[in-house]
Amino acid sequence: MTQRKLIAVRIDPNLCVGSGMCVSSYPDKFAFQPDGHARYISPELDEAAAREAEEMCPVSAISLVFDEGEQQ
């Protein structure tokens, strides 16, 4: 079984509606950009926080990228 490593947290600006679920739940990981869309800001990737934010996003704008090139 291969251990996957999280390499990026992506937020699709075409889907993000700025609901703020990720920002309010993880203000040390996510922040609003001037255009009102969220962005992952932490220099360290936190898979647990990113996965939870991905699951709670009402428009599925957050995706996780792993070293195998897979997106969750």
Side-chain angles (χ1 to χ4, degrees), residues 7-47:
I7 58 172
V9 177
R10 293 196 181 139
I11 301 176
D12 186 334
N14 295 315
L15 294 176
C16 181
V17 296
S19 73
M21 298 293 291
C22 57
V23 176
S24 64
S25 296
Y26 297 100
D28 58 327
K29 309 282 184 221
F30 295 87
F32 285 116
Q33 299 182 92
D35 66 3
H37 297 124
R39 182 174 146 226
Y40 192 84
I41 59 165
S42 178
E44 283 88 34
L45 294 171
D46 181 336
E47 184 174 345

Side-chain angles (χ1 to χ4, degrees), residues 1 5 7-8 12 20 25 27 59 62-64:
M1 180 177 200
K5 180 181 175 191
I7 58 172
D12 186 334
S25 296
V59 294
I62 301 171
S63 61
L64 309 184

